[in-house]
């Protein structure tokens, strides 16, 4: 039963807990592993499995942690799907299912990003750069996926440290993608449809500037502290030998 767009309630949380208590999460993880090896041929199974992961993560913080604990297995499986080439994407017969899977993957990563201690893991597994690259593809891959990708990047910029953020800004591709998508979204036909995407992009740019300003302030404080700290006198070997003598 799909609950992903419903407001979280104690009733929904109790249903999620019942699924977790039944030991379903390890079984779900095993199915995901088996399906992901040739994901383009297993979309009928992969789609509801990824949707289930999303629904389970819609619970309490503790319930979300149960899914996050499976990250070593689940997250690496998502990378080949995120990095699918356009030609292969278009050759898949029911690629609307793949669009649904990609949208859910973006949502799942966005929730994991909220756990700041997991951001380094996502970077090490090249998940965030892959999401930025898919976001750069723009509207051809669907408005819903574009929305979730923008939302995930927004959360990453807000929750990540400046050194972590710099890792996805390498080469300025992220900034270029933001302005390209923003330019497309400001078209008269799309502005109302993409209002949430526009809002997220503006928020991303705003938070980037805030994080940059804070980082510059920290640099100035460090330099000032270094100037104010009296230098320790250094003694060469012969001076030390003379003192010892």
């Amino acid at each position: 039963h799909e609950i992903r767009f419903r407001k979280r309630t104690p009733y929904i949380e109790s249903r999620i807990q019942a699924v977790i208590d039944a030991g379903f999460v390890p079984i779900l993880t095993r199915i995901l592993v088996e399906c992901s090896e040739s994901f383009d041929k297993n979309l009928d199974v992969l789609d509801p499995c990824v949707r289930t992961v999303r629904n389970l993560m819609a619970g309490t913080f503790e319930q979300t942690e149960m899914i996050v604990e499976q990250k070593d297995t689940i997250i690496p499986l998502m990378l080949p799907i995120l990095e699918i080439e356009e030609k292969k994407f278009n050759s898949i017969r029911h690629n609307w299912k793949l669009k649904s899977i990609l949208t859910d993957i973006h949502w799942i990563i966005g929730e994991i990003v909220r756990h700041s201690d997991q951001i380094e893991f996502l970077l090490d597994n090249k998940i965030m750069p892959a999401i930025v690259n898919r976001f750069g593809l723009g509207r051809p891959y669907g408005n819903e996926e574009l929305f979730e990708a923008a939302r995930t990047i927004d959360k990453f910029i807000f929750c990540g440290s400046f050194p972590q953020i710099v890792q996805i800004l390498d080469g300025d591709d992220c900034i270029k993608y933001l302005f390209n998508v923003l330019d497309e979204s400001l078209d008269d036909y799309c502005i109302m449809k993409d209002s949430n995407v526009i809002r997220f992009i503006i928020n991303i740019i705003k938070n980037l500037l805030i994080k940059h300003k804070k980082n510059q302030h920290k640099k100035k404080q460090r330099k000032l502290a270094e100037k104010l700290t009296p230098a320790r006198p250094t003694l060469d070997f012969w001076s030390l030998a003379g003192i010892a003598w």
Side-chain angles (χ1 to χ4, degrees), residues 121-151:
F121 176 84
L122 295 175
L123 289 168
D124 290 343
N125 283 274
K126 305 187 188 318
I127 294 293
M128 284 312 303
I131 286 178
V132 170
N133 288 333
R134 282 206 63 79
F135 177 76
L137 296 171
R139 190 170 291 103
Y141 285 84
N143 286 311
E144 192 175 354
E145 186 193 343
L146 195 67
F147 166 79
E148 291 296 350
R151 173 179 169 273

Side-chain angles (χ1 to χ4, degrees), residues 51-196:
R51 184 75 49 80
T52 302
V53 173
R54 175 173 177 161
N55 286 339
L56 289 173
M57 291 188 71
T60 63
F61 185 84
E62 291 76 17
Q63 288 169 339
T64 302
E65 276 287 324
M66 291 290 293
I67 305 299
V68 173
E69 286 173 6
Q70 302 290 323
K71 68 181 187 301
D72 291 329
T73 305
I74 294 175
I75 299 303
L77 303 178
M78 297 177 175
L79 187 60
I81 303 173
L82 288 167
E83 291 182 334
I84 185 170
E85 295 178 356
E86 183 177 358
K87 187 177 180 180
K88 185 175 181 180
F89 182 92
N90 292 329
S91 69
I92 295 174
R93 186 177 178 185
H94 298 296
N95 64 14
W96 61 270
K97 289 183 180 178
L98 186 53
K99 287 182 180 180
S100 173
I101 291 168
L102 283 161
T103 299
D104 287 339
I105 286 175
H106 283 101
W107 189 94
I108 290 165
I109 299 302
E111 290 303 299
I112 293 175
V113 163
R114 292 172 57 194
H115 300 248
S116 299
D117 58 328
Q118 301 299 331
I119 289 177
E120 204 62 43
F121 176 84
L122 295 175
L123 289 168
D124 290 343
N125 283 274
K126 305 187 188 318
I127 294 293
M128 284 312 303
I131 286 178
V132 170
N133 288 333
R134 282 206 63 79
F135 177 76
L137 296 171
R139 190 170 291 103
Y141 285 84
N143 286 311
E144 192 175 354
E145 186 193 343
L146 195 67
F147 166 79
E148 291 296 350
R151 173 179 169 273
T152 300
I153 296 169
D154 181 37
K155 285 186 177 181
F156 174 80
I157 299 298
F158 182 79
C159 297
S161 66
F162 191 78
Q164 289 171 333
I165 292 168
V166 167
Q167 291 186 54
I168 69 162
L169 296 179
D170 187 35
D172 295 329
D173 282 342
C174 184
I175 302 297
K176 181 178 70 178
Y177 296 153
L178 288 171
F179 282 103
N180 285 347
V181 174
L182 186 61
D183 185 53
E184 288 178 7
S185 300
L186 288 174
D187 182 270
D188 290 339
Y189 173 74
C190 299
I191 191 163
M192 293 305 295
K193 184 185 260 189
D194 292 350
S195 59
N196 284 323

